[in-house]
Amino acid sequence: YKRQGINAEYGKKFKNYFTMSHSSGITVSNELCEQFQKNLRWIIVQIKEEIAHSIFFSESFNDMQHDWNSFISNLKPAQPNFILFRNTSWILISYVPDGSSVRDRMIYASSRDTFKKQLGYTNFEDEFYSSSLNEITFQNYQNHVSSKFVEAPLTSSEINKNIASTLEITVGTSSEYVHSVKFPIMQPIINALNQNLNVVLKLQIPIESFDLDCTFQENEFQSVLRSFNEPRYIYLFTKKEFYYYCPELSPLKMKMIYSTAKGVILNYIEKNYGIDKKFEFTEIEDLFEEKGVVEEKKTFSRPTKPGRGPARLTSKK
């Protein structure tokens, strides 16, 4: 903490962020597991002390819109929840309001994949993300479903780019590393970006895809960034800035995969939302100055060791 220029109490706070962001050691309560196997219409889940508990549920099956509205009435403006909604199979709704604490948002963002894994990936037919009560409406969910099947007409150039983006990415020649991996962009990322939110993105390496880690307000940028000790992609939508953070002590395999996949997410965001500046850095203190602003380094005194050094402004319009 001393190295980062923050006091001990502040450092302990971020140590907690490190733990929940990367350990994500939640478990599903026995009661919730039992309810998940029953013929319930919906279950509202809250994480307390690293255990996912059921706090409300409904056995009533009416039309889908009526039942969807019925669980919304049990949600609070600043309390994140997972909602399990049964259609043909389960829909996982991640309700993480912007008004909730950074800590809570980090817990739910880092626990979503673990939560699905413990209940069984194959039990879910869809996933929906919302950051406010105004966004979690049934109409918005219908729009989300429609957007997966309806695409705007593409030019021949765009078609070629889409084909290129789905080609397999080859890394290295040793079987120790990843050779053929594809990185589709998960729907929660698209939903968040379409809402003009600042996002932190991660790779779900086991299933080879980009996923949403969390959203944040611009004034929370530093605290959110300091909560990670593994590579991340950050898009500051409010400033059209893209950040690639790859800590020096990250596992080599992870650094290689993130570096390889960077071009896919970078091109997607640049094409659809615009990027004015791009930054790459391995040390947080190289990015943040005393006033907490990003500054472009214009001079240097001597070469730095490979993989280290100040944040690089890799592109600027």
Side-chain angles (χ1 to χ4, degrees):
Y1 305 130
K2 196 172 184 181
R3 184 180 178 190
Q4 295 181 350
I6 55 180
N7 61 39
E9 182 178 353
Y10 200 54
K12 289 178 181 178
K13 175 182 177 182
F14 288 120
K15 182 178 180 181
N16 292 333
Y17 285 149
F18 291 148
T19 301
M20 65 190 171
S21 173
H22 302 292
S23 296
S24 185
I26 71 159
T27 56
V28 176
S29 70
N30 292 334
E31 179 187 16
L32 178 53
C33 287
E34 292 173 1
Q35 291 179 347
F36 188 74
Q37 302 300 323
K38 295 179 180 179
N39 191 31
L40 300 180
R41 183 55 148 171
W42 53 257
I43 307 170
I44 297 179
V45 179
Q46 187 170 337
I47 299 175
K48 299 178 182 179
E49 298 180 354
E50 298 187 351
I51 300 176
H53 297 274
S54 166
I55 58 173
F56 298 105
F57 65 90
S58 174
E59 299 175 310
S60 175
F61 279 76
N62 297 293
D63 68 89
M64 187 172 180
Q65 182 172 0
H66 176 276
D67 293 344
W68 189 282
N69 292 334
S70 69
F71 78 72
I72 293 177
S73 62
N74 292 285
L75 303 179
K76 298 180 180 179
Q79 173 59 58
N81 295 105
F82 292 137
I83 300 97
L84 299 167
F85 189 92
R86 186 185 290 278
N87 191 25
T88 305
S89 54
W90 289 101
I91 301 168
L92 174 59
I93 304 166
S94 297
Y95 171 61
V96 186
D98 290 334
S100 56
S101 68
V102 174
R103 181 180 184 277
D104 282 346
R105 275 180 277 166
M106 294 296 300
I107 289 175
Y108 279 82
S110 62
S111 301
R112 188 174 69 248
D113 186 67
T114 303
F115 182 69
K116 287 180 65 178
K117 181 178 180 181
Q118 291 193 24
L119 292 175
Y121 288 122
T122 58
N123 292 316
F124 293 90
E125 66 179 63
D126 199 5
E127 188 169 351
F128 182 59
Y129 177 87
S130 176
S131 60
S132 74
L133 289 174
N134 293 331
E135 295 172 357
I136 203 170
T137 63
F138 182 69
Q139 182 60 54
N140 281 344
Y141 177 70
Q142 287 186 313
N143 294 340
H144 154 77
V145 173
S146 299
S147 69
K148 295 193 295 184
F149 301 101
V150 179
E151 297 183 359
L154 301 178
T155 66
S156 58
S157 175
E158 289 173 330
I159 292 173
N160 290 335
K161 285 183 178 179
N162 283 352
I163 293 173
S165 68
T166 61
L167 294 178
E168 294 184 344
I169 302 171
T170 302
V171 182
T173 57
S174 169
S175 59
E176 180 181 355
Y177 302 114
V178 177
H179 288 270
S180 298
V181 291
K182 297 179 180 180
F183 298 104
I185 297 170
M186 303 298 280
Q187 190 64 39
I189 296 177
I190 300 172
N191 294 343
L193 291 174
N194 286 342
Q195 295 165 26
N196 300 345
L197 299 178
N198 302 315
V199 296
V200 178
L201 310 179
K202 64 181 179 181
L203 289 176
Q204 292 286 10
I205 294 177
I207 59 175
E208 299 175 358
S209 66
F210 291 98
D211 203 358
L212 180 69
D213 199 319
C214 66
T215 62
F216 61 94
Q217 301 294 324
E218 186 176 332
N219 61 2
E220 299 169 339
F221 182 38
Q222 288 198 41
S223 61
V224 169
L225 184 57
R226 291 186 187 278
S227 68
F228 298 105
N229 56 7
E230 292 181 354
R232 286 294 185 271
Y233 310 109
I234 304 99
Y235 182 55
L236 199 58
F237 200 112
T238 51
K239 291 188 176 181
K240 304 295 184 184
E241 294 176 351
F242 181 89
Y243 297 81
Y244 171 45
Y245 174 43
C246 187
E248 183 66 22
L249 297 180
S250 300
L252 178 59
K253 179 179 177 180
M254 181 176 289
K255 290 196 286 187
M256 292 182 66
I257 295 175
Y258 268 82
S259 177
T260 301
K262 179 185 64 175
V264 177
I265 192 65
L266 186 64
N267 291 339
Y268 174 81
I269 292 176
E270 191 163 29
K271 173 185 173 182
N272 293 282
Y273 306 98
I275 295 176
D276 292 338
K277 295 180 180 179
K278 305 171 189 175
F279 295 89
E280 295 184 12
F281 60 104
T282 59
E283 299 279 351
I284 293 178
E285 57 266 33
D286 292 333
L287 184 64
F288 294 135
E289 303 295 339
E290 291 183 2
K291 295 182 179 180
V293 298
V294 178
E295 296 183 356
E296 182 179 355
K297 305 296 183 181
K298 299 182 180 296
T299 61
F300 62 93
S301 57
R302 62 179 181 179
T304 57
K305 296 180 180 180
R308 297 183 62 84
R312 304 197 310 272
L313 177 61
T314 60
S315 175
K316 180 178 180 182
K317 292 186 179 179

